[in-house]
Each structure stands twice: as C-alpha cells, then as structure tokens.
Amino acid sequence: MRRKRFSRREVLAGLGAGALATVVPGCSGGGARSAVLQVWGGVPAASGPANVVKAFEQRFPQYKVNYTRFVNDARGNLKLDTALQGGVDIDVYFTYSPASLALRAGSGLAADLTDRVTQDPQLKVFLDTDQPRAYLDDGRIKALATAREPFFVLFNEKLRQQADVDLPQQWTIDEYRETAKKLTTAKTIGAYTVPDVARIALGPNYWYDGDRSNFGDPHFEQSFRIGQDMIREGSAFPWTEVLARHLDSYQQNSFLGEEFHLWPTAPFNLRYLYDPKKFPHDFKVSFAPPPTVDGQDWNGGSYNNFVMVNPKSPKAEAAWEFVKFWLTEGSTPMLAGGKLPTLGNVTDDQVLTGMLGKEPEKYFDVESFRRVVLDAEPKLATDTRLAGFPEITLAVKQQKDLCWLGEKDPGAAIREVRRVADAAIARNERSS
C-alpha cells in the first residue's frame, strides 16, 4: 500500500518552519587542536572510510586519524560549515556539491594544493583542464575529486518482468516517460523523478552563457515541465511526499519498499542494495544508461567527492599524506561505498565485488552492470564555472519545488530562476 499523501499546504508549511531552524548545535567554538588528524566526510565509516583509515595508519604508523561522519544534506553541510568557520579542529574534509565547493573555496576554507599536485607524477591527471578533476579558484587547485560518479537508471527486475517491459540499452527522454507510465500500478509509481533534461542536453557549465545565465535555453523549462506532467499523471513520485519525507536524501528506502520503480541515481546508492539484513528486499536490480535528450548524451554525472585541506590546519604534511593515500592506495576500500576512484586504479573484478558485495549475482543483473558501468565511457559533465552557484542552486530548488508541487507554471518558474541567476552572476563577477 502507498503511504498517506501529504497536502501542498502541509509541505509548504513544513518548509517554512524548516527555514526558521537554520542553526544546528554541536559546532560552536574552536578549542585545542589534537595531534590526531581530524577528517570529516559524508560517507558512513563502515562503507569504506574506516578501512581507508586503518590502512593509512598501518602504512604511516606515525599518524593517527579520527574520521567524523556528517550527513550529506542541508543540515549536515551547515554543521560542517559552522565547524570550519568556528575553528573546530578539522584538517581534511570532503565536499559533494558544487554550491558547497564554491562557498568553501571562496570563503578561504580550502588550502592551495597546486604545488603538491604539480610535483607528484601520480597526480598529473588533476592538471587536465579538458576533463577537469580538480577545482580551481583563481587558477589555483583548492580541491581534488576522489570519485568518478556516472549516473544510471536502476530497475526493479521483478516488477520490470511482471510488466513485460524491455530493459533499455539506449533510450530517449520520451521513452523514459512512457516506460514510467507502463510501470505505474495501483501499488507502485513508475519513477522517482525525471533525470536532469537540461544537463543531458547541454553538458558542463550548463547554467552559464558568457557573462549571463543560460536559463533562456528551452531545455530548462522542458525539464521542469516534464517533471510536473509526470507527477500530475501519476508516473513520477508526488513532490509533496518527496519534500515531506526528505526523499531527496533517503530515496533508497522507498525504492526497496517498491513504492517507485525507475530510480535515476549514482553508484553511492548501490551500498544499500546488497545488505539483506539492514536493507531487506526480494528482487534483483538491473541497470540502464540515462536517457538521451534531442540526440545529446551527456551522462549527467561528474567527477565528485572533492577532498579539501583546511588552510588553518597545523598538520599540513600529515593531511597531504592522507589525501594522497585516499586517492591512490586507499581507493579500493571506498568501492564498498559506491565510489569509483578518479584515478581508475582498480580492476573490473575489484569494482564488481567492491560495489556489488560478495554475492553480486544474488542482488544484481551483473551483465547490465558491466554494460552500463564498466564497459561504457560516459560523458561526465564536471562544472568549472561556479560564479553565484550557491544563489543559483537555491533559486533552482525553490522554483522547482513550487513547480512540481503544482503551485507555479514551469515557464514562470524558469523566468524567475533566470532573473536571480543573472543578478547573482553579475554580482559575483563584479567582486572577483
């Protein structure tokens, strides 16, 4: 049975109340710094980081490391930002969104890693500007991507076969919508949401056009409209429930509960799909590539999970050794958390067992995983322009929420995003 539906009024009221509660406890003040290297990341320790720390301490017995997990959502990132700005003892930390990346680097919270990267032949790929894997601020490297995150669409194999729907190896956004309709039943909604149409069509830096925003491109309105239409017709998850139940951060529970079928996501969510004790389910999962849009096939994924060093850290050498270890020797344990290493220094067999568990055939359609994840060469769209990114991110989210709640027309929503984005870009580029 589907869960109780939340009304638009209940969700909007909840969002308003949430906006008032913007301060989280537990991060006030600085205090004495310990000799132990303090590392903050968004991945649960048991999903790889604990084993990286263990291997690092064995390799470098002169160092000790304490790993602190923060939840990679709005509250968790606020907690990290408050801690960094308040002088809490943090030496190394991870950033997962471009908005947070721009904010932290622009606020002087990221050490300059340029010279260290330049002097290390193992890390030369981070100097590549054609397919960026590092974040540059005024030409200086402030963050290094530790993971390659291609997007894909997951299928519930049991429900797919019951609906007699083919597993696509190539499909369009229109076919994605039609498939979601076919998979929608009285008990299961066809899709969680629609992939980012504009991103697939336009690729990296898709929010920008010269010295202005690019939201006049029709793919942005198309993205909002398809999502709104799918929600209205019942083939995509009601946005009232997505917001009320925080499914933007906890989609795996509804997927495993068979509340929706098609799940556009990334490798980090695979860790929820092979542990029957913590996450019980009785179906296999198969993989399809993201749909194409107007013949364009940008994957939508990127190089991500940026590691940064606090410039105030007195343990710079230890911090750098840890960063380098995570990128090189320490990359294999992170497969358990669904993290494909940026440097590609793992074998296909290591990826298979690392990301899909000890019995991959039991929980996954391995053939489709090989085809979509191991054998494909997706076009990853890593942004390098981040002027006004936090403001634009907020505007996109606010207007998309209003649109997908049915409170606003997609055209009007995108025009408001464009107005805010143009002003944010102009303001940020004037001050740079």
Side-chain angles (χ1 to χ4, degrees):
M1 262 181 94
R2 292 188 191 172
R3 288 177 174 263
K4 168 187 176 292
R5 295 285 185 262
F6 292 86
S7 71
R8 295 189 185 100
R9 181 173 295 178
E10 287 174 316
V11 172
L12 291 170
L15 291 175
L20 299 175
T22 56
V23 179
V24 295
C27 288
S28 61
R33 291 184 176 272
S34 73
V36 177
L37 194 68
Q38 301 294 329
V39 179
W40 283 40
V43 180
S47 296
N51 285 331
V52 177
V53 168
K54 181 179 178 181
F56 176 77
E57 290 179 339
Q58 291 175 343
R59 174 77 169 77
F60 297 96
Q62 68 270 38
Y63 300 131
K64 296 297 178 186
V65 179
N66 180 57
Y67 179 81
T68 298
R69 193 260 176 129
F70 67 93
V71 178
N72 183 31
D73 60 10
R75 283 184 174 272
N77 278 287
L78 177 60
K79 181 177 180 179
L80 173 57
D81 290 332
T82 305
L84 287 168
Q85 293 166 359
V88 171
D89 189 9
I90 300 173
D91 302 295
V92 176
Y93 63 94
F94 286 81
T95 297
Y96 303 92
S97 74
S100 294
L101 194 63
L103 180 65
R104 290 164 187 164
S107 300
L109 299 174
D112 186 346
L113 304 177
T114 310
D115 292 341
R116 293 185 184 276
V117 172
T118 303
Q119 294 167 11
D120 195 321
Q122 290 186 82
L123 305 181
K124 64 180 181 180
V125 296
F126 292 105
L127 304 176
D128 183 3
T129 55
D130 292 329
Q131 193 172 32
R133 299 169 178 85
Y135 175 63
L136 276 68
D137 182 40
D138 291 331
R140 308 299 292 179
I141 295 174
K142 296 297 181 68
L144 302 174
T146 62
R148 179 171 60 91
E149 286 201 332
F151 285 1
F152 39 67
V153 179
L154 297 182
F155 276 72
N156 176 322
E157 272 295 280
K158 180 183 70 176
L159 298 181
R160 182 187 71 80
Q161 292 174 15
Q162 287 176 357
D164 195 26
V165 170
D166 291 335
L167 180 65
Q169 298 188 24
Q170 184 177 4
W171 51 343
T172 66
I173 193 65
D174 291 335
E175 290 169 333
Y176 176 90
R177 182 177 176 180
E178 288 304 311
T179 300
K181 289 181 184 178
K182 292 177 182 177
L183 294 168
T184 299
T185 69
K187 295 182 178 180
T188 303
I189 296 169
Y192 166 63
T193 189
V194 61
D196 190 340
V197 168
R199 182 68 140 176
I200 295 170
L202 303 174
N205 300 315
Y206 70 145
W207 285 356
Y208 302 88
D209 180 19
D211 60 355
R212 299 187 64 186
S213 80
N214 195 35
F215 288 98
D217 187 286
H219 290 100
F220 290 101
E221 183 176 337
Q222 180 188 7
S223 186
F224 276 24
R225 193 169 298 281
I226 291 176
Q228 187 183 77
D229 289 346
M230 289 181 67
I231 291 168
R232 283 177 172 170
E233 72 192 13
S235 65
F237 218 79
W239 211 243
T240 51
E241 294 197 42
V242 169
L243 297 179
R245 294 165 55 190
H246 303 290
L247 295 187
D248 50 342
S249 299
Y250 302 102
Q251 299 155 35
Q252 71 277 2
N253 297 328
S254 292
F255 180 70
L256 292 172
E258 300 187 1
E259 292 187 69
F260 64 80
H261 187 129
L262 300 179
W263 187 15
T265 188
F268 64 87
N269 273 319
L270 297 179
R271 66 178 182 261
Y272 301 114
L273 305 180
Y274 61 78
D275 188 340
K277 292 183 179 179
K278 290 184 179 179
F279 304 101
H281 58 289
D282 64 353
F283 58 88
K284 282 189 176 184
V285 174
S286 58
F287 298 76
T292 60
V293 175
D294 296 336
Q296 299 301 310
D297 60 350
W298 284 95
N299 176 269
S302 64
Y303 288 95
N304 206 308
N305 291 238
F306 286 88
V307 64
M308 309 172 82
V309 175
N310 189 343
K312 297 179 182 178
S313 170
K315 295 162 270 184
E317 291 304 319
W320 176 247
E321 289 290 357
F322 184 80
V323 167
K324 182 179 174 181
F325 185 86
W326 189 291
L327 290 164
T328 54
E329 299 171 56
S331 60
T332 303
M334 289 307 299
L335 292 170
K339 306 300 181 182
L340 288 165
T342 297
L343 297 183
N345 49 346
V346 291
T347 67
D348 283 357
D349 287 342
Q350 286 176 314
V351 172
L352 192 66
T353 57
M355 295 181 69
L356 304 187
K358 296 178 180 179
E359 301 177 281
E361 297 281 357
K362 186 174 181 179
Y363 303 106
F364 299 93
D365 173 18
V366 174
E367 180 182 352
S368 65
F369 175 81
R370 289 186 181 277
R371 181 172 60 247
V372 173
V373 179
L374 296 182
D375 298 338
E377 295 183 1
K379 293 159 63 176
L380 301 180
T382 302
D383 294 316
T384 55
R385 287 197 66 187
L386 299 181
F389 211 98
E391 299 101 309
I392 299 172
T393 299
L394 181 60
V396 170
K397 182 186 185 316
Q398 288 175 336
Q399 294 303 313
K400 184 177 75 173
D401 286 348
L402 289 172
C403 179
W404 288 1
L405 287 169
E407 299 292 332
K408 199 165 188 177
D409 177 77
I414 285 297
R415 286 193 293 274
E416 176 61 14
V417 172
R418 187 179 187 183
R419 182 191 68 78
V420 172
D422 285 344
I425 292 169
R427 184 168 56 252
N428 278 268
E429 294 196 337
R430 275 199 307 269
S431 62
S432 62

